[in-house]
């Protein structure tokens, strides 16, 4: 697998997975901001104690280091903290978590820090603990201790401010959202461009269709002129691809339910009729009959009549703007009938019409869809932009197993520029 380029994948993640970014950013940022906002205000006071050998006779670095270690342990011991609590009136448990003693081996000093909600108590605790060091030093035959700097309030660091912390947490949440979106886009790629669609389906992109309406609020997006121009461009691609595949009925199949196969097939047929050719669209989605339901055609049993030869083909088709449509209704349990009679129906249709387009349910949705596909000469795969590439590849693999070559791909819900853009793998190779 070739390595995907970082910036194009990130750009796709920002454009197409903004909802993922927001889903991570918003709750994480809110939790972080509220946690910082509700944290108790605390003051840290610090006092510095110096430790030196008792006399020149015991002058040694080791002696000072040992003394620092002893004093650090002693000052945080329960005995000393109990005495400090009794002297200051500060709760012993609060002192136990508030007092911190650190030793500097280089300078021979002890830093006594006390962090408490009250400024007064923090200063008092730090000063009292530091003074206890002097008392301990008086009893130490090896080292003395002296307070070098009285207790003072320690200035908060840059990262300690409430607003600074909140800003950093929001940035961290944003980064986490971007990482998640990037990972999803890289690990589970979706078809965004014509290059992606061609690579996944194993056939050239013959054209694209713009989004007719927005999902919410539902409103018209593309004007009729743009839809017509896209349909004509699709017709040109479809006619140019004829030399590369066997002649005969063309399966129009969506890579997923709702990909727009029925719409793409009818628009293609309509533009072929405008060019002076005859076209027949067969609704072979026997589970949902989506094209027939959408058109609201009066002949509900037309396909059944054609399969059983209850009437001549020209009498059972429905004319829709010059396009002959063989409608149907959902029919179950007709697998044998379709398998036996569909080849003859398609032959009669091919003899009469210049183009025969078979509108089918997505492959894998049932056995009938694969029966229909097996009797066609080539396939036109309709892919809605944003479809997982794995689903398109699965459709292509099923067509290959059935021996039906992919004539081309229609990228639905995409602009012409997106349909002509290379895929991520082409970008990675620098093509």
């Amino acid at each position: 697998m070739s390595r995907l380029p970082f910036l194009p994948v990130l750009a796709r993640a920002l454009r197409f997975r903004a909802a993922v970014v927001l889903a991570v950013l918003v709750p994480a940022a809110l939790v972080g901001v509220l946690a910082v906002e509700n944290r108790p205000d605390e003051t840290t006071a610090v006092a510095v104690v110096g430790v030196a050998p008792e006399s020149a006779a015991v002058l040694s670095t080791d002696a000072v280091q040992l003394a620092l270690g002893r004093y650090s342990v002693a000052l945080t011991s329960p005995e000393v903290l109990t005495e400090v609590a009794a002297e200051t009136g500060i709760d012993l448990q609060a002192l136990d978590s508030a007092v911190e003693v650190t030793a500097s081996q280089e300078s021979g000093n002890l830093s006594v820090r006390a962090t408490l909600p009250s400024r007064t108590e923090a200063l008092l605790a730090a000063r009292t603990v530091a003074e206890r060091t002097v008392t301990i030093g008086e009893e130490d035959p090896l080292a003395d201790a002296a307070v070098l700097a009285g207790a003072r309030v320690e200035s908060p660091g840059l990262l300690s401010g409430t607003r600074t912390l909140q800003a950093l947490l929001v940035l961290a949440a944003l980064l986490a959202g971007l990482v998640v979106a990037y990972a999803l886009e890289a690990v589970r790629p979706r078809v965004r461009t014509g290059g992606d669609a061609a690579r996944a389906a194993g056939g050239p992109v013959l054209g694209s269709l713009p989004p007719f309406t927005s999902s919410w609020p539902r409103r018209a997006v593309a004007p009729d002129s743009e839809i017509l121009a896209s349909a004509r461009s699709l017709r040109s691609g479809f006619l140019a691809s004829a030399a590369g595949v066997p002649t005969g009925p063309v399966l129009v199949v969506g890579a997923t339910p709702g990909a727009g196969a029925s719409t793409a097939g009818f628009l293609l047929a309509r533009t072929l009729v405008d060019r002076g050719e005859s076209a027949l669209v067969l609704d072979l989605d026997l589970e949902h009959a989506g094209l027939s339901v959408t058109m609201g055609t009066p002949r509900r049993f037309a396909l059944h009549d054609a399969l059983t030869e209850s009437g001549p083909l020209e009498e059972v088709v429905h004319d829709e703007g010059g396009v002959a449509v063989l409608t149907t209704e959902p029919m179950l349990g007709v697998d044998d009938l379709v398998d036996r009679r569909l080849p003859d129906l398609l032959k009669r249709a091919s003899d009469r019409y210049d183009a025969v387009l078979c509108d089918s349910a997505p492959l894998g949705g049932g056995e009938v869809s694969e029966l229909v596909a097996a009797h066609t000469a080539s396939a036109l795969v309709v892919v809605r932009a944003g479809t997982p590439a794995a689903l398109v590849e699965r459709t292509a693999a099923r067509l290959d197993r059935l021996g039906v070559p992919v004539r081309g791909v229609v990228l639905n819900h995409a602009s012409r520029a997106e349909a002509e853009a290379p895929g991520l793998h082409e970008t990675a190779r620098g093509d």
Side-chain angles (χ1 to χ4, degrees):
M1 179 178 177
S2 59
R3 181 181 178 185
L4 296 178
F6 173 75
L7 290 179
V9 175
L10 180 60
R12 289 184 178 213
L14 289 172
R15 180 177 178 183
F16 299 108
R17 297 188 184 271
V20 174
V21 177
L22 291 176
V24 176
L25 168 63
V26 173
L30 282 177
V31 170
V33 168
L34 291 176
V36 173
E37 194 70 35
N38 294 326
R39 67 174 183 169
D41 293 330
E42 293 182 330
T43 300
T44 298
V46 60
V48 179
V49 178
V51 177
E54 176 72 22
S55 65
V58 292
L59 182 61
S60 109
T61 303
D62 291 341
V64 173
Q65 291 178 350
L66 290 172
L68 289 172
R70 292 198 308 273
Y71 290 175
S72 297
V73 173
L75 292 176
T76 55
S77 66
E79 294 78 13
V80 170
L81 292 179
T82 299
E83 294 175 1
V84 172
E87 184 176 339
T88 61
I90 301 173
D91 182 72
L92 177 60
Q93 290 185 344
L95 280 175
D96 186 46
S97 59
V99 175
E100 177 188 8
V101 179
T102 57
S104 172
Q105 302 292 345
E106 292 78 9
S107 63
N109 295 336
L110 292 172
S111 295
V112 179
R113 284 182 172 79
T115 303
L116 290 164
S118 167
R119 174 189 175 95
T120 302
E121 288 186 343
L123 289 169
L124 179 60
R127 181 174 64 250
T128 305
V129 172
E131 290 171 352
R132 295 298 302 169
T133 312
V134 177
T135 303
I136 296 173
E138 292 174 353
E139 302 172 358
D140 190 342
L142 300 178
D144 283 333
V147 178
L148 301 181
R152 58 180 177 78
V153 174
E154 188 174 53
S155 301
L158 177 64
L159 302 182
S160 300
T162 298
R163 295 294 174 259
T164 302
L165 277 176
Q166 288 175 336
L168 288 175
L169 287 171
V170 171
L171 287 176
L174 175 60
L175 179 61
L178 290 175
V179 169
V180 173
Y182 178 89
L184 288 175
E185 190 66 27
V187 175
R188 298 171 56 189
R190 293 177 178 266
V191 172
R192 307 294 187 189
T193 66
D196 297 333
R199 182 178 185 275
V205 175
L206 305 183
S208 63
L209 293 176
F212 295 175
T213 59
S214 62
S215 56
W216 188 91
R218 193 165 185 82
R219 59 183 178 82
V221 174
D224 292 343
S225 58
E226 182 181 352
I227 296 172
L228 182 58
S230 297
R232 287 173 176 168
S233 177
L234 171 59
R235 177 188 65 191
S236 298
F238 178 80
L239 294 174
S241 66
V245 293
T247 58
V250 178
L251 179 74
V252 184
V253 61
T256 56
S262 298
T263 301
F266 182 79
L267 284 176
L268 175 58
R270 186 70 183 82
T271 56
L272 288 172
V273 170
D274 290 343
R275 190 175 181 269
E277 301 190 27
S278 60
L280 170 66
V281 179
L282 295 88
D283 188 352
L284 296 176
D285 181 356
L286 301 185
E287 184 174 352
H288 300 101
L291 179 63
S292 303
V293 171
T294 301
M295 289 185 171
T297 50
R299 292 299 307 275
R300 299 174 60 193
F301 298 97
L303 177 62
H304 185 272
D305 292 343
L307 288 172
T308 57
E309 299 187 46
S310 300
L313 182 60
E314 58 271 17
E315 293 183 6
V316 296
V317 298
H318 171 74
D319 182 88
E320 186 73 31
V323 178
V325 181
L326 189 59
T327 59
T328 187
E329 69 169 2
M331 295 190 296
L332 302 177
V334 294
D335 300 18
D336 290 340
L337 177 64
V338 171
D339 196 28
R340 287 186 291 107
R341 306 305 297 272
L342 184 60
D344 179 66
L345 172 59
L346 294 179
K347 183 180 183 307
R348 286 187 286 136
S350 298
D351 291 340
R352 179 174 179 81
Y353 296 93
D354 297 320
V356 177
L357 305 177
C358 302
D359 178 40
S360 170
L363 300 181
E367 186 179 354
V368 175
S369 61
E370 298 204 356
L371 285 176
V372 170
H375 295 305
T376 57
S378 61
L380 187 64
V381 180
V382 181
V383 180
R384 182 184 173 97
T387 300
L391 297 182
V392 183
E393 293 168 356
R394 189 178 306 167
T395 298
R398 285 179 170 138
L399 288 170
D400 183 65
R401 178 171 55 81
L402 295 169
V404 181
V406 175
R407 179 166 181 163
V409 184
V410 180
L411 185 61
N412 192 17
H413 222 262
S415 66
R416 186 167 183 175
E418 290 171 332
E420 295 174 351
L424 276 179
H425 289 81
E426 286 77 12
T427 304
R429 295 196 299 266
D431 295 347

